[in-house]
């Protein structure tokens, strides 16, 4: 078990290093210049540009810049934003919880909606209810998040005026206002995932139901609810857990659009802004942070199979 | 007699009851189009940032809601006969937000800070004519100029000329992160990309103002999100209303649009170092080949007007009416001018050529801003129709900026602004040492001279003649081809009262009226 974990962690570190090389090269290959973003599109003389480039240490060879950066990262320092001059790590740490509360709430919503509907569809297989649930799942799957987000805003903010359309109020400042603004973006984010959870749950339940031991438990007279709860669900839920692990990275991707539409000041909106400004250290810092997180979550998901299914053993 | 007095009395009562008294209190939420990159009042960082800064600071003079220059920290001023000495008398009893009194030393410190090149101040070159500053007493400031500067007062009325506290800056206060001025509102807090909060200054020098308890600025990077937030009632006011939404906002009884034109224009900038744009005939021909009405329709939803003559805005007393109509949409004329320059379709392939070479040009624009892209698309289509082999390069904004700085383009679409309420704004673009003159390689000295006369002359007649000469030469040589004026506007909830959109080029200073703004709810 421990050697397995160690191996996986080492593997993850190699991945993270490769990602850092990739992201560093990619953002530097893209044309554009942070120096010009800072100086504005007017009145930037060549001398001014050169002076600022030297001051920001952007005039050194790229490999030197890379090892300088990665060296600081290993010491836990992501550097400073070229544009605002603020330290990047605290900015990431302020914004991370905002993005994660969106994702967390979206996952909870997906499970709350997806699991019961999946079971219902499986139990009522090929009945009208199953068709209806599967149809809405198809709809949820095929609607892009920005369409869902825009439609929800139109209906609940502009028409019904139940929720504010945009914005962010911190929880400490006003808990109710905070939650009100959290709901629409989370629901938009959750639509695709709940459809995936529902479909996975449905097929998983159908598969387990057809297994011999279920037939046996029915044969010995256990009622359907007990069979479902005690024997079917526990086994059927494993693939759903796996899919949630995979979905976290999809959800992080989804927040890029959702944070934009709902003006949510999270990690993704920070990344988008940094990319358009060619704020190299910020882009590198945020992407490295997010990808390390995704790798770490996948690791946790792998390890959690063992807890849910005693047959899984690590060798 | 009695009847008349009664009538006067009655109309007086009626007018009293019609004019609403402002309601005190409440927080106004303002949807910014971008999060201010810095808070330093002297460093330009766009109209959004300026809006925030001008609520906290004051200048010597400022604009009122009709666009007139009026006293602010200076109660009055005298300009010497030769235009070389400006004497300002400061208002007595003005306090900075930290409780210290304003004195002439703060004004001197601020102006010197602007002139110092290390500050990177926006008005550094405009104030370059200030040779020395005297402070004979605490409430008098005297500026000595090296040569007359006709537009000095309009520049002093700009947001970027505001007065900061000498003691605050020298005591280590960071103007980039904190704001500390004498203005109607005081800085409370800032969370990047989330909000900037201001509260009422109870000691503001205009007794009884401001009416609001405070202002919260919230940045909205996406224009659609900004409009939705206003429509949903989340916020009270938005700036940079997208043109496509203006009509809907006008028709919405809960909202009000505050907009006008004469501040911003679309233009074609030619790189005159590259062929075929080294030939003025080709540039002029392009001026006739583009349907400006189509640009206004496609890019600005009919919110704009064509520029067919000079660039001095129509509402300016310096606007030259006789030049209007110099350029019109006339593809036949464009073709004949091109033929004069030697470009004809000699091989019948539909593309113009000369000495075996086709008329191939590449138009640089951006996909980041819709108005730039749509303008470029109309230009592309129109030139294609007269037989120009044109390539449309739609790059991301930061790429466009980088390529422009390197002069790496044939010609480009740009949207620029009239930066000061005076024809001297032309100098900012077209003086031989100006950035835009350089990148388009407008080396021609014929523009520098009239612009210098326009700036330094104290005679209005002489200035008018100089600007007419400049505009005539410009239209004749067509180093740039101007396309359209566009409307610029804000939108508010209808309960927002007392807010005014300043006319023409001053729109970016509309936040001067926030101290008179109140919420009728």
């Amino acid at each position: 078990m421990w050697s397995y974990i160690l191996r996986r962690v080492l593997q993850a570190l190699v991945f993270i290093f490769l990602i850092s090389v990739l992201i560093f090269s990619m953002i530097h290959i893209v044309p554009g210049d942070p120096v010009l973003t800072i100086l504005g599109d007017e009145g930037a003389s060549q001398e001014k540009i050169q002076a600022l480039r030297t001051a920001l240490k952007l005039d050194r060879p790229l490999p030197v810049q890379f090892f300088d950066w990665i060296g600081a990262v290993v010491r836990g320092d992501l550097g400073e934003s070229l544009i605002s001059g603020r330290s990047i790590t605290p900015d990431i740490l302020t914004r991370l919880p905002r993005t994660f509360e969106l994702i967390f709430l979206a996952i909870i919503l997906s499970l709350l909606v997806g699991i019961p509907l999946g079971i219902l569809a499986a139990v009522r297989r090929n009945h009208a209810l199953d068709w209806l649930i599967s149809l809405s799942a198809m709809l949820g799957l095929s609607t892009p998040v920005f369409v869902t987000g825009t439609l929800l805003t139109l209906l609940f903010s502009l028409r019904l005026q139940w929720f504010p359309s945009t914005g962010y109020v911190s929880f400490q400042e006003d808990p109710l206002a905070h939650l009100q603004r959290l709901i629409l973006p989370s629901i938009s984010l959750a639509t695709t995932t709940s459809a995936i959870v529902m479909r996975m749950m449905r097929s998983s339940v159908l598969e387990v139901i057809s297994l011999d031991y279920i037939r046996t438990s029915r044969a010995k007279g256990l009622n359907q609810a007990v069979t479902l709860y005690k024997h079917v669900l526990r086994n059927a839920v494993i693939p759903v857990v796996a899919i949630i692990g995979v979905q976290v990275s999809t959800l992080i991707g989804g927040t890029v659009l959702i944070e934009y539409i709902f003006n949510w000041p999270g990690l993704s909106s920070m990344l988008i802004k940094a990319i358009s400004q060619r704020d190299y250290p910020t882009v590198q810092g945020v992407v490295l942070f997010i990808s390390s997180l995704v790798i770490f979550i996948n690791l946790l998901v792998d390890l959690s199979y063992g807890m849910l299914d005693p047959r899984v053993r690590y060798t | 007699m009695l009847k008349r007095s009664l009538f006067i009395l009655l109309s007086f009562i009626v007018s009293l009851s019609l004019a609403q008294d402002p309601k005190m209190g409440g927080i106004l939420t303002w949807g910014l189009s971008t999060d201010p990159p810095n808070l330093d009042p002297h460093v330009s960082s766009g109209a959004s940032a300026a809006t925030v800064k001008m609520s906290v600071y004051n200048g010597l003079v400022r604009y009122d809601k009709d666009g007139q220059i009026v006293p602010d920290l200076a109660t009055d001023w005298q300009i010497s006969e030769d235009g070389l000495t400006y004497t300002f008398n400061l208002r007595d009893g003005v306090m900075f937000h930290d409780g210290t009194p304003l004195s002439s030393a703060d004004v001197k410190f601020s102006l010197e800070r602007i002139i110092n090149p290390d500050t990177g101040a926006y008005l550094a070159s405009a104030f370059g004519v200030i040779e020395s500053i005297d402070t004979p007493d605490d409430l008098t400031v005297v500026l000595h100029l090296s040569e007359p500067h006709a537009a000095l007062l309009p520049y002093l009325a700009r947001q970027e000329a505001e007065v900061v506290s000498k003691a605050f800056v020298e005591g280590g206060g960071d103007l980039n992160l904190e704001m500390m001025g004498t203005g109607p509102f005081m800085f409370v807090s800032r969370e990047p990309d989330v909000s900037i909060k201001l509260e009422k200054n109870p000691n503001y020098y205009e007794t009884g103002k401001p009416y609001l308890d405070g202002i919260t600025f919230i940045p909205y990077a996406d224009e659609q999100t900004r409009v939705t937030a206003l429509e949903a009632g989340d916020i009270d006011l938005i700036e940079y209303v997208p043109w496509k939404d203006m009509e809907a906002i006008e028709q919405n009884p809960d909202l009000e649009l505050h907009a006008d034109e004469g501040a911003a224009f679309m233009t074609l900038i030619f790189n005159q170092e590259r062929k075929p744009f080294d030939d003025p005939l080709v540039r002029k021909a392009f001026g006739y080949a583009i349907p400006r009405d189509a640009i206004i329709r496609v890019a600005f939803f009919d919110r704009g007007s064509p520029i067919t003559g000079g660039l001095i805005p129509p509402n300016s007393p310096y606007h030259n009416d006789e030049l209007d109509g110099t350029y019109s949409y006339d593809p036949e004329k464009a073709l004949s001018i091109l033929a004069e320059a030697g470009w004809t379709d000699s091989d019948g392939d539909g593309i113009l050529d000369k000495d075996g070479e086709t008329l191939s040009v590449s138009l640089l624009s951006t996909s980041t801003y819709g108005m730039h892209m749509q303008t470029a698309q109309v230009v592309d289509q129109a030139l294609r129709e007269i037989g120009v082999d044109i390539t449309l390069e739609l790059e991301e904004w930061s790429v466009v900026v980088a390529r422009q700085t390197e002069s790496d383009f044939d010609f480009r679409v740009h949207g620029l602004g009239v930066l000061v309420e005076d024809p001297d704004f032309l100098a900012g673009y077209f003086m031989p040492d100006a950035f835009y003159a350089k990148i388009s390689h407008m080396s021609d000295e014929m523009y520098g001279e009239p612009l210098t006369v326009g700036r330094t002359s104290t005679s209005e007649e002489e200035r008018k003649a100089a600007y007419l000469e400049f505009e005539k030469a410009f239209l004749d040589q067509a180093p740039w081809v101007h396309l359209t004026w566009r409307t610029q506007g804000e939108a508010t909830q209808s309960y927002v009262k007392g807010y005014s959109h300043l006319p023409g080029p001053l729109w970016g200073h509309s936040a001067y009226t926030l101290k008179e703004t109140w919420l009728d709810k």
Side-chain angles (χ1 to χ4, degrees):
Chain A
M1 168 92 179
W2 287 112
S3 75
Y4 173 82
I5 293 179
L6 189 71
R7 213 168 57 234
R8 288 298 312 269
V9 168
L10 284 177
Q11 218 175 41
L13 287 178
V14 172
F15 264 135
I16 290 173
F17 179 77
L18 289 178
I19 286 170
S20 65
V21 176
L22 196 71
I23 160 75
F24 185 90
S25 341
M26 272 167 66
I27 188 68
H28 280 86
I29 286 170
V30 179
D33 190 340
V35 171
L36 294 174
T37 315
I38 300 168
L39 293 175
D41 69 329
E42 293 169 30
S45 66
Q46 285 302 327
E47 301 83 61
K48 248 187 182 170
I49 293 172
Q50 206 46 50
L52 188 59
R53 198 164 279 155
T54 312
L56 296 173
K57 299 183 177 175
L58 292 171
D59 55 345
R60 300 169 307 158
L62 281 185
V64 176
Q65 290 188 44
F66 175 74
F67 283 106
D68 215 36
W69 171 65
I70 203 81
V73 169
V74 171
R75 293 193 300 275
D77 176 15
L78 290 176
E80 284 170 359
S81 156
L82 293 178
I83 309 296
S84 70
R86 280 197 306 271
S87 198
I88 294 167
T89 317
D91 264 16
I92 291 184
L93 294 179
T94 318
R95 284 160 170 267
L96 181 73
R98 298 181 192 150
T99 297
F100 264 71
E101 73 185 315
L102 282 183
I103 294 175
F104 182 73
L105 195 59
I107 291 177
I108 300 284
L109 285 173
S110 311
L111 294 177
L112 281 180
V113 174
I115 292 182
L117 285 185
I119 297 172
L120 209 59
V123 173
R124 295 258 170 250
R125 187 183 174 191
N126 290 340
H127 282 67
L129 194 61
D130 179 24
W131 288 110
L132 195 71
I133 292 172
S134 299
L135 190 75
S136 35
M138 275 311 286
L139 211 66
L141 263 182
S142 49
T143 319
V145 284
F146 59 88
V147 174
T148 323
T150 311
L151 288 177
L152 287 177
T153 312
L154 277 177
L155 182 61
F156 292 107
S157 304
L158 291 179
R159 264 298 140 75
L160 302 171
Q161 310 230 328
W162 288 358
F163 300 103
S165 72
T166 54
Y168 176 82
V169 175
S170 76
F171 189 78
Q172 294 90 318
E173 198 177 323
D174 186 346
L176 184 68
H178 178 82
L179 292 175
Q180 278 181 334
R181 284 163 176 78
L182 188 60
I183 288 173
L184 289 185
S186 304
I187 294 178
S188 328
L189 203 53
T191 31
T192 316
T193 318
S194 35
I196 291 173
V197 167
M198 178 264 138
R199 279 161 57 111
M200 189 52 98
M201 197 66 205
R202 178 179 178 273
S203 56
S204 186
V205 168
L206 284 177
E207 197 183 311
V208 176
I209 275 178
S210 66
L211 292 178
D212 286 348
Y213 74 92
I214 300 296
R215 203 179 319 145
T216 312
S217 77
R218 276 197 185 142
K220 75 180 182 186
L222 282 180
N223 73 33
Q224 187 159 358
V226 176
T227 312
L228 249 179
Y229 181 74
K230 283 188 82 171
H231 299 291
V232 178
L233 280 192
R234 183 148 182 205
N235 289 303
V237 93
I238 289 178
V240 172
V241 173
I243 213 84
I244 286 293
V246 176
Q247 281 299 304
V248 170
S249 42
T250 316
L251 286 170
I252 292 177
T255 58
V256 170
L257 287 166
I258 288 298
E259 289 187 7
Y260 198 71
I261 296 173
F262 289 96
N263 213 36
W264 190 261
L267 211 51
S268 302
S269 53
M270 179 177 176
L271 177 64
I272 295 294
K273 195 172 163 189
I275 290 175
S276 69
Q277 295 177 326
R278 302 291 186 270
D279 188 350
Y280 299 142
T282 305
V283 175
Q284 288 158 202
V286 173
V287 174
L288 188 65
F289 198 89
I290 294 178
S291 30
S292 309
L293 215 60
V294 169
I295 290 174
F296 179 70
I297 288 169
N298 279 323
L299 187 65
L300 282 188
V301 169
D302 284 359
L303 297 178
S304 73
Y305 291 154
M307 283 171 252
L308 285 168
D309 185 348
R311 285 172 307 176
V312 177
R313 284 288 169 263
Y314 305 105
T315 43
Chain B
M1 185 67 197
L2 185 73
K3 249 182 168 174
R4 202 169 145 212
S5 320
L6 201 65
F7 176 75
I8 292 173
L9 188 71
L10 268 178
S11 48
F12 184 66
I13 292 171
V14 167
S15 66
L16 261 188
S17 59
L18 279 179
Q20 276 175 290
D21 275 337
K23 288 183 187 154
M24 304 293 283
I27 306 276
L28 177 95
T29 47
W30 178 306
L32 294 173
S33 60
T34 178
D35 194 35
N38 69 63
L39 298 177
D40 188 328
H42 299 154
V43 177
S44 162
S45 37
S48 292
T51 292
V52 177
K53 295 168 191 173
M54 78 184 75
S55 308
V56 177
Y57 293 98
N58 294 106
L60 286 172
V61 290
R62 64 178 169 84
Y63 291 104
D64 69 5
K65 65 178 174 19
D66 304 314
Q68 299 301 313
I69 292 181
V70 293
D72 198 7
L73 293 178
T75 49
D76 60 294
W77 54 92
Q78 296 89 41
I79 304 169
S80 66
E81 195 77 4
D82 57 5
L84 292 174
T85 312
Y86 284 64
T87 307
F88 291 93
N89 298 310
L90 299 187
R91 197 176 291 279
D92 198 3
V94 175
M95 296 286 184
F96 280 104
H97 297 155
D98 63 359
T100 55
L102 166 92
S103 86
S104 54
D106 297 306
V107 178
K108 179 177 156 82
F109 174 80
S110 302
L111 291 175
E112 284 174 349
R113 186 172 183 269
I114 293 170
I115 297 165
N116 182 351
D118 292 342
T119 311
Y122 178 72
L123 295 176
S125 78
F127 288 170
V129 292
I130 302 179
E131 219 167 36
S132 64
I133 302 164
D134 287 340
T135 51
D137 61 58
D138 275 358
L139 295 177
T140 311
V141 181
V142 186
L143 311 183
H144 299 284
L145 312 191
S146 55
E147 55 182 359
H149 189 329
L152 191 68
L153 274 182
Y155 280 116
L156 279 169
R158 283 191 62 85
Q159 176 278 317
E160 296 88 352
E162 285 161 344
V163 176
V164 299
S165 157
K166 182 179 187 224
F168 177 74
V169 178
E170 288 182 344
D174 189 344
L175 291 178
N176 197 1
L177 301 176
E178 247 184 288
M179 294 185 285
M180 213 289 286
T182 51
F185 296 93
M186 306 193 292
F187 178 63
V188 178
S189 65
R190 170 182 195 190
E191 200 183 336
D193 287 326
V194 178
S195 66
I196 295 172
K197 290 185 175 161
L198 308 180
E199 65 181 8
K200 174 182 185 158
N201 173 8
N203 302 316
Y204 187 56
Y205 78 75
E206 285 181 77
T207 318
K209 287 179 187 171
Y211 303 135
L212 295 165
D213 283 340
I215 307 171
T216 300
F217 295 98
I218 302 173
Y220 285 86
D222 178 47
E223 59 179 29
Q224 196 48 56
T225 311
R226 196 158 71 240
V227 173
T228 309
L230 182 79
E231 286 174 339
D234 300 350
I235 52 179
D236 302 319
L237 189 156
I238 59 169
E239 57 182 21
Y240 281 102
V241 177
W243 297 278
K244 67 172 173 50
D245 296 300
M246 285 185 174
E247 196 180 336
I249 287 174
E250 274 177 337
Q251 284 172 2
N252 186 333
D254 297 330
L255 303 177
E256 209 168 314
L257 182 71
H258 307 257
D260 80 339
E261 33 179 276
F265 58 92
M266 302 306 288
T267 188
L268 286 179
I269 301 178
F270 298 102
N271 181 353
Q272 280 133 80
E273 212 175 47
R274 291 207 182 164
K275 282 186 184 305
F277 297 129
D278 53 344
D279 184 350
L281 287 176
V282 175
R283 307 192 298 256
K284 279 177 88 162
F286 281 20
Y288 289 103
I290 295 155
R292 291 167 175 76
D293 289 339
I295 294 174
I296 295 165
R297 205 170 48 243
V298 171
F300 301 108
F301 293 78
D302 284 325
R303 305 275 168 167
S305 52
I307 307 176
T308 56
L311 192 58
I312 298 173
N315 57 2
S316 161
Y318 290 87
H319 179 78
N320 294 303
D321 291 332
E322 66 267 42
L323 298 180
D324 287 345
T326 306
Y327 284 94
S328 53
Y329 177 50
D330 190 346
E332 290 305 315
K333 188 162 180 175
L335 279 173
S336 74
I337 296 175
L338 284 170
E340 195 186 324
W343 296 99
T344 49
D345 183 11
S346 64
D347 52 8
D349 65 350
I351 308 251
L352 300 172
D353 55 78
K354 173 181 168 181
D355 307 330
E357 266 183 67
T358 53
L359 184 54
S360 302
V361 292
S362 161
L363 175 61
L364 177 63
S365 186
T366 180
S367 48
T368 308
Y369 300 112
M371 61 163 184
H372 281 251
M373 182 170 77
Q374 287 140 8
T375 305
Q377 284 164 341
V378 174
V379 173
D380 174 84
Q381 180 65 31
L383 292 175
R384 212 172 278 279
E385 272 167 21
I386 61 162
V388 179
D389 172 28
I390 183 169
T391 314
L392 181 55
E393 296 178 278
L394 290 175
E395 300 270 23
E396 197 201 353
W397 182 246
S398 53
V399 178
V400 172
V401 171
R403 287 186 53 185
Q404 167 180 282
T405 309
E406 308 276 311
S407 270
D408 177 20
F409 62 96
D410 289 358
F411 72 134
R412 70 162 297 201
V413 163
H414 207 347
L416 292 166
V418 173
L419 297 174
V420 72
E421 173 77 323
D422 187 277
D424 189 54
F425 84 90
L426 294 167
Y429 293 124
F430 305 121
M431 272 294 202
D433 62 345
F435 171 77
Y436 279 107
K438 279 194 201 157
I439 56 134
S440 55
H441 297 281
M442 275 177 53
S443 53
D444 207 324
E445 291 293 327
M446 78 174 88
Y447 308 118
E449 204 189 297
L451 289 178
T452 309
V453 173
R455 172 175 282 187
T456 54
S457 171
T458 47
S459 141
E460 192 150 327
E461 284 312 302
E462 209 173 48
R463 293 194 79 202
K464 277 192 171 160
Y467 287 119
L468 179 61
E469 185 194 335
F470 167 84
E471 295 211 302
K472 274 184 173 162
F474 197 96
L475 291 171
D476 183 56
Q477 290 294 310
W480 297 14
V481 162
H482 305 312
L483 301 172
T484 66
W485 294 109
R486 58 175 206 257
T487 297
Q488 204 74 41
E490 300 85 51
T492 62
Q493 303 288 349
S494 47
Y495 57 72
V496 175
K497 307 284 183 193
Y499 175 82
S500 308
H501 176 90
L502 263 54
L506 298 175
W507 66 273
H509 286 76
S510 301
Y512 275 145
T513 64
L514 280 177
K515 60 180 177 172
E516 287 136 15
T517 301
W518 52 284
L519 305 176
D520 188 17
K521 63 171 183 179

